[in-house]
Amino acid sequence: MIAAIIRKELLAVLRDGRLLVLAFSVFAVLSGFFLASVAEHRQVQQEKQAVGATAKEQWDTQGVKNPHAAAHFGIYVFKPDSPLASIDPGLRQYTGQALWLEPHKRNGARFNPAADQGLAGRFGQASAGFVLYALLPLLVIALAFNAVTQEREQGTLRMLHSLGVSATKLLLGKFTGLLLAFVVVLTPAMLIAVIILYQNFDLAGDDILRLSALSGVLFVYYAVFAALAMSTSIHFKSSRLALFVLLAFWTGSVLIAPRLGATVAEMLVPTPSAAAFWAAIKQDIQQGLANDGDHDAREAAFNAQVLKQYGVARIEDLPVGYTALKRSFNDNYSERVHALHFDRLRDAFERQGPSISPRC
């Protein structure tokens, strides 16, 4: 019985003129966005490789000097991007792309692309991921909003019940047929995407596993929208009203909720600005943490400890290099302060995430 319902629903959707229009629209939009994402991703990779090579050359040719002075020359390293970032860049636009390595200090990532964009650019990125998580649910809604209401409006729902078709089998058959029709629409675009990925990037085994996991998660995501669409179609007598409710839900859940959630999370668990963050680190290094004393007091205590350890009365009489010892002592304290503040910042991000919403 369920197989017959699935076949009937799948044929009905395939014969519907809406499906052909939606299939061509999805193929054109998803392919266009994916090609643009791939081009952008390759450009970013080339820029990182070029700048990274320049930074490495500058490091290698800085000349003969003291190793400590050479370390202070510093160097930029760049965050690598997975080939799958061409499908969904994730938070790449909002996180730093380069890290400045230098002695005595832990730096944060720099140069997030979103800093150079306006508000409109931050609202939605032109990526294949945006199409997959934001636009394709509209396709599911378009296919499922009248799955039951149409039967009710045409009078066939009562006829099906009179033939002994149970509600569970009917809904399960419609749901499965809908997902199969959606897969038929989406498959050509996805095949083109996979071919483009293989042609432009060297996919490792880890990338293939991630791609498989992403595909599975997206399928569950679309199945949830299909289930919600069918539930709405069950509870409303009018197809027009069901469509209106589903569009309102899509707008709220896909466009509004993520950004509203990030704003609420920042209000409930605020994080310091970059200037305030680094100022707090500098202050704690200079003034000291609780019961540690300020910088001068710590150095005086360290001097006394070293003199006592080696049994001498003056620094000049030490059998070891005092400057190196003092630098190591100050570096250890600086690392302790940096670790404390970075751990607090990481804890704040973790408290923001599970309780409210991921940062967008």
Side-chain angles (χ1 to χ4, degrees), residues 332-351:
N332 289 335
Y333 196 83
S334 175
E335 172 59 26
R336 177 184 168 191
V337 173
H338 277 79
L340 176 65
H341 284 268
F342 273 90
D343 287 345
R344 287 176 180 172
L345 184 63
R346 187 179 299 108
D347 290 342
F349 287 151
E350 290 178 353
R351 291 198 307 272

Side-chain angles (χ1 to χ4, degrees), residues 2-18:
I2 294 180
I5 296 174
I6 294 174
R7 182 174 180 276
K8 180 263 179 186
E9 291 297 324
L10 182 59
L11 290 176
V13 174
L14 292 177
R15 291 169 180 170
D16 193 338
R18 294 177 303 168

Side-chain angles (χ1 to χ4, degrees), residues 38-51:
V38 168
E40 179 187 6
H41 186 69
R42 289 179 61 86
Q43 180 182 358
V44 170
Q45 282 189 321
Q46 292 171 358
E47 290 176 354
K48 286 183 178 181
Q49 291 173 357
V51 177

Side-chain angles (χ1 to χ4, degrees), residues 214-271:
L214 176 62
S215 301
V217 170
L218 285 174
F219 182 79
V220 173
Y221 176 66
Y222 301 139
V224 170
F225 265 92
L228 290 173
M230 290 199 62
S231 298
T232 304
S233 183
I234 293 171
H235 287 89
F236 291 95
K237 296 181 178 181
S238 169
S239 298
R240 182 178 301 177
L241 182 58
L243 178 60
F244 176 80
V245 171
L246 288 170
L247 290 178
F249 173 78
W250 173 85
T251 302
S253 61
V254 175
L255 299 182
I256 298 177
R259 290 155 181 84
L260 181 62
T263 302
V264 174
E266 184 65 30
M267 293 174 58
L268 296 179
V269 187
T271 55

